[in-house]
Amino acid sequence: MKILSVGSVAFDSIKTPFGEAKNLLGGSATYFSLAARFFATPAIVAVVGQDFTDEHRQIFTKNDIDVSGLVKLPGKTFAWGGEYGFDLNTRQTLFTHLNVFENFKPQLHEEHQNAPFVFLGNIQPNLQKLVLNQIKHPKLVGLDTMNLWIQNTPTELAEVLKLIDVLVINDSEARQLSQEHNLAKAAKKIRLMMRPQAVLVIKQGEHGLLMFYNNTIFNLPGYLLEDVFDPTGAGDSFAGGFMGYLAQAGEITEANLKRACVFGSVVASFCVEDFGTKRLETLTKQDIDQRFAQFKQLTYFELH
Ligand code: AMP
C-alpha cells in the first residue's frame, strides 16, 4: 500500500546534552518515510536545494522510498537548528531557514494524486492544503504541525484541520492551539476544530501519548529507554509508524488505532537512540516486532 507524505527534507543542526551534530539529513518527510517503510511503501513530496547530493538521495532509494515527488530547485535546502535541555523533553529552535521552501508549489503526478493514505507533515498549512486539494480519493489523511504555524498562520491551519482524519501533535502544541493548560480540556477544544469522527493523538514525549477517538480515550506510556541521544524526528517517526500501520491494516477500527499507537511509539523509541536518522536506517522489522512484544509485556496486567 502506498502512503504519500508531504513535508520537509532538511539539513538539521542539533545540540543535545550529549553532543552536537551539524547538517544531518532530517526533516518531517524524511523521518516519516523512514519509519513508514516497515508497513507500507512511502512516497515523498518535498523540495531540496542544490546542496542535496546523490548520497542523500540514496538514503531514500535504498530503503524503497519513492522520491519521484522530490523536486530540486536552485538555492539551499531547508535548514533547521535545535537545542535540547537536560531532560530532552524541552527543545528550543535555534534557526529556521526556509530556503527553497519559499518557492515550492507542490504539483502531484497522477499516481500520487491517487494515493489513499496521505500524511501532511509539518510544513506551512497552505502547502499542506495545496497537496490535499490534489488528492482524488483520500481514505485517511493525517496531519502534523508545530508552534511556528500555530502562532503565525492560525487561519490557514484552522482551514486544513477541518479537512483531515488524524491530527498528531505534542502536548505543548495542543496547549498552544487550544489555549488550555489542561490536556483533557485542550483535547475537547481541538476536537471541535476537526470533523467529529477525526482522531486526535497528543504525544507527551517520554511520557507516552493520549489518543482520542469517538468516545474512547487511550493512554499509552512511553517505552522506557536507558539511552536517549537525540529526540529529533521522534514525532515524525511516530507518525510514520502510526500511519504506516493503518495503511497496512487497511481499516480504521479502534483496535487498529491502538496497535498503530504502539507501532508508532516503538519506531519513535528506536529513532531517539542515535543522532539524526542513523538508527532508523539500520532498523529491521524484527527489531520492531521484538520491542512491540516487550511493550505489551510492560503494559499488561491481569484484572484478578
Ligand atoms: P520532530 O519529529 O518534531 O522532532 O521533527 C523534527 C524535524 O522537523 C527536523 O528534522 C526538522 O528539520 C523539521 N522541522 C523543524 N521545523 C520545521 C518547520 N518549520 N517546517 C518544516 N519542518 C521543520
Short mmCIF file of all heavy atoms in Angstrom, two decimals, residues 172-197:
data_model
loop_
_atom_site.label_atom_id
_atom_site.label_comp_id
_atom_site.label_asym_id
_atom_site.label_seq_id
_atom_site.Cartn_x
_atom_site.Cartn_y
_atom_site.Cartn_z
N SER A 172 2.66 20.39 24.14
CA SER A 172 2.78 21.86 24.20
C SER A 172 2.04 22.49 23.02
O SER A 172 1.43 23.56 23.16
CB SER A 172 4.25 22.29 24.26
OG SER A 172 4.89 21.94 23.06
N GLU A 173 2.07 21.82 21.87
CA GLU A 173 1.32 22.34 20.71
C GLU A 173 -0.19 22.28 20.97
O GLU A 173 -0.93 23.19 20.58
CB GLU A 173 1.67 21.54 19.46
CG GLU A 173 3.09 21.74 18.98
CD GLU A 173 3.64 20.59 18.14
OE1 GLU A 173 2.96 19.56 17.97
OE2 GLU A 173 4.79 20.72 17.69
N ALA A 174 -0.62 21.21 21.64
CA ALA A 174 -2.05 21.08 21.95
C ALA A 174 -2.49 22.21 22.88
O ALA A 174 -3.57 22.80 22.71
CB ALA A 174 -2.33 19.72 22.60
N ARG A 175 -1.63 22.52 23.85
CA ARG A 175 -1.96 23.63 24.78
C ARG A 175 -2.00 24.96 24.04
O ARG A 175 -2.88 25.78 24.25
CB ARG A 175 -0.92 23.68 25.90
CG ARG A 175 -1.03 22.51 26.85
CD ARG A 175 -0.13 22.65 28.07
NE ARG A 175 -0.48 21.62 29.02
CZ ARG A 175 0.29 20.55 29.29
NH1 ARG A 175 1.45 20.39 28.70
NH2 ARG A 175 -0.13 19.64 30.15
N GLN A 176 -1.04 25.15 23.14
CA GLN A 176 -0.97 26.41 22.39
C GLN A 176 -2.17 26.57 21.45
O GLN A 176 -2.78 27.62 21.36
CB GLN A 176 0.34 26.43 21.60
CG GLN A 176 0.67 27.78 21.03
CD GLN A 176 1.87 27.72 20.09
OE1 GLN A 176 2.47 26.65 19.91
NE2 GLN A 176 2.21 28.84 19.52
N LEU A 177 -2.51 25.47 20.77
CA LEU A 177 -3.60 25.51 19.80
C LEU A 177 -4.95 25.77 20.47
O LEU A 177 -5.80 26.48 19.95
CB LEU A 177 -3.63 24.16 19.04
CG LEU A 177 -4.65 23.97 17.93
CD1 LEU A 177 -4.45 24.99 16.83
CD2 LEU A 177 -4.53 22.55 17.35
N SER A 178 -5.13 25.18 21.67
CA SER A 178 -6.43 25.28 22.34
C SER A 178 -6.49 26.42 23.34
O SER A 178 -7.57 26.75 23.84
CB SER A 178 -6.71 23.98 23.09
OG SER A 178 -5.71 23.79 24.07
N GLN A 179 -5.32 26.97 23.69
CA GLN A 179 -5.25 27.97 24.77
C GLN A 179 -5.77 27.39 26.09
O GLN A 179 -6.40 28.09 26.88
CB GLN A 179 -6.09 29.21 24.42
CG GLN A 179 -5.76 29.83 23.09
CD GLN A 179 -4.59 30.79 23.18
OE1 GLN A 179 -4.58 31.70 23.97
NE2 GLN A 179 -3.56 30.55 22.38
N GLU A 180 -5.54 26.12 26.31
CA GLU A 180 -5.94 25.44 27.55
C GLU A 180 -4.72 24.74 28.12
O GLU A 180 -4.02 24.04 27.40
CB GLU A 180 -7.00 24.36 27.26
CG GLU A 180 -8.39 24.85 27.00
CD GLU A 180 -9.11 25.29 28.26
OE1 GLU A 180 -8.58 25.13 29.38
OE2 GLU A 180 -10.22 25.84 28.11
N HIS A 181 -4.51 24.86 29.42
CA HIS A 181 -3.37 24.16 30.01
C HIS A 181 -3.69 22.67 30.21
O HIS A 181 -2.88 21.80 29.91
CB HIS A 181 -2.96 24.78 31.35
CG HIS A 181 -1.84 24.03 31.98
ND1 HIS A 181 -0.53 24.18 31.58
CD2 HIS A 181 -1.84 23.05 32.91
CE1 HIS A 181 0.24 23.35 32.25
NE2 HIS A 181 -0.53 22.66 33.07
N ASN A 182 -4.90 22.41 30.68
CA ASN A 182 -5.31 21.03 30.98
C ASN A 182 -5.51 20.25 29.68
O ASN A 182 -6.25 20.68 28.79
CB ASN A 182 -6.61 21.09 31.80
CG ASN A 182 -7.11 19.71 32.12
OD1 ASN A 182 -7.68 19.03 31.26
ND2 ASN A 182 -6.89 19.29 33.34
N LEU A 183 -4.86 19.08 29.59
CA LEU A 183 -4.89 18.35 28.31
C LEU A 183 -6.26 17.76 27.98
O LEU A 183 -6.61 17.64 26.80
CB LEU A 183 -3.83 17.25 28.29
CG LEU A 183 -2.39 17.71 28.07
CD1 LEU A 183 -1.46 16.52 28.01
CD2 LEU A 183 -2.25 18.56 26.80
N ALA A 184 -7.04 17.40 29.00
CA ALA A 184 -8.38 16.88 28.73
C ALA A 184 -9.24 17.99 28.10
O ALA A 184 -9.96 17.77 27.11
CB ALA A 184 -9.01 16.37 30.02
N LYS A 185 -9.12 19.19 28.66
CA LYS A 185 -9.88 20.33 28.12
C LYS A 185 -9.33 20.72 26.74
O LYS A 185 -10.08 21.06 25.84
CB LYS A 185 -9.80 21.52 29.07
CG LYS A 185 -10.63 21.35 30.31
CD LYS A 185 -10.60 22.61 31.14
CE LYS A 185 -11.39 22.39 32.42
NZ LYS A 185 -10.99 23.32 33.48
N ALA A 186 -8.00 20.67 26.62
CA ALA A 186 -7.37 21.02 25.34
C ALA A 186 -7.89 20.08 24.25
O ALA A 186 -8.26 20.51 23.15
CB ALA A 186 -5.85 20.92 25.46
N ALA A 187 -7.93 18.79 24.56
CA ALA A 187 -8.37 17.80 23.57
C ALA A 187 -9.82 18.08 23.15
O ALA A 187 -10.16 18.01 21.97
CB ALA A 187 -8.25 16.39 24.15
N LYS A 188 -10.66 18.39 24.13
CA LYS A 188 -12.07 18.70 23.81
C LYS A 188 -12.17 19.85 22.82
O LYS A 188 -12.90 19.79 21.84
CB LYS A 188 -12.81 19.09 25.10
CG LYS A 188 -13.64 17.98 25.66
CD LYS A 188 -14.58 18.50 26.72
CE LYS A 188 -15.16 17.30 27.45
NZ LYS A 188 -15.69 17.63 28.75
N LYS A 189 -11.42 20.90 23.09
CA LYS A 189 -11.48 22.09 22.23
C LYS A 189 -10.94 21.78 20.83
O LYS A 189 -11.50 22.20 19.83
CB LYS A 189 -10.65 23.22 22.83
CG LYS A 189 -11.41 24.09 23.79
CD LYS A 189 -10.67 25.42 23.91
CE LYS A 189 -11.37 26.35 24.88
NZ LYS A 189 -10.55 27.52 25.14
N ILE A 190 -9.83 21.03 20.79
CA ILE A 190 -9.21 20.74 19.48
C ILE A 190 -10.14 19.86 18.65
O ILE A 190 -10.28 20.04 17.45
CB ILE A 190 -7.82 20.08 19.67
CG1 ILE A 190 -6.87 21.09 20.32
CG2 ILE A 190 -7.26 19.61 18.33
CD1 ILE A 190 -5.56 20.52 20.77
N ARG A 191 -10.82 18.92 19.31
CA ARG A 191 -11.72 18.03 18.57
C ARG A 191 -12.87 18.82 17.94
O ARG A 191 -13.40 18.43 16.91
CB ARG A 191 -12.22 16.90 19.47
CG ARG A 191 -11.06 15.99 19.86
CD ARG A 191 -11.55 14.77 20.55
NE ARG A 191 -12.12 13.81 19.61
CZ ARG A 191 -12.83 12.77 19.98
NH1 ARG A 191 -13.10 12.56 21.25
NH2 ARG A 191 -13.31 11.94 19.07
N LEU A 192 -13.22 19.92 18.56
CA LEU A 192 -14.28 20.76 17.97
C LEU A 192 -13.78 21.50 16.72
O LEU A 192 -14.58 21.97 15.92
CB LEU A 192 -14.80 21.77 19.00
CG LEU A 192 -15.60 21.16 20.15
CD1 LEU A 192 -15.96 22.23 21.18
CD2 LEU A 192 -16.87 20.47 19.63
N MET A 193 -12.46 21.57 16.57
CA MET A 193 -11.91 22.23 15.37
C MET A 193 -11.84 21.24 14.21
O MET A 193 -11.52 21.63 13.09
CB MET A 193 -10.48 22.73 15.64
CG MET A 193 -10.37 23.71 16.78
SD MET A 193 -8.61 24.11 17.05
CE MET A 193 -8.70 24.91 18.63
N MET A 194 -12.07 19.94 14.50
CA MET A 194 -11.95 18.91 13.46
C MET A 194 -13.30 18.26 13.21
O MET A 194 -14.27 18.54 13.90
CB MET A 194 -10.95 17.84 13.91
CG MET A 194 -9.57 18.39 14.27
SD MET A 194 -8.35 17.08 14.39
CE MET A 194 -8.83 16.27 15.88
N ARG A 195 -13.33 17.35 12.22
CA ARG A 195 -14.57 16.60 11.99
C ARG A 195 -14.86 15.73 13.22
O ARG A 195 -13.92 15.25 13.87
CB ARG A 195 -14.40 15.66 10.79
CG ARG A 195 -14.17 16.35 9.48
CD ARG A 195 -13.71 15.26 8.55
NE ARG A 195 -13.55 15.69 7.19
CZ ARG A 195 -12.84 15.01 6.32
NH1 ARG A 195 -12.25 13.88 6.66
NH2 ARG A 195 -12.73 15.43 5.09
N PRO A 196 -16.15 15.46 13.50
CA PRO A 196 -16.48 14.73 14.73
C PRO A 196 -15.81 13.35 14.82
O PRO A 196 -15.46 12.91 15.91
CB PRO A 196 -18.00 14.58 14.66
CG PRO A 196 -18.46 15.53 13.62
CD PRO A 196 -17.32 15.87 12.72
N GLN A 197 -15.65 12.68 13.66
CA GLN A 197 -15.09 11.32 13.71
C GLN A 197 -13.56 11.29 13.62
O GLN A 197 -12.95 10.23 13.59
CB GLN A 197 -15.72 10.42 12.63
CG GLN A 197 -15.28 10.72 11.20
CD GLN A 197 -16.04 11.89 10.56
OE1 GLN A 197 -16.62 12.74 11.24
NE2 GLN A 197 -16.02 11.97 9.24
#
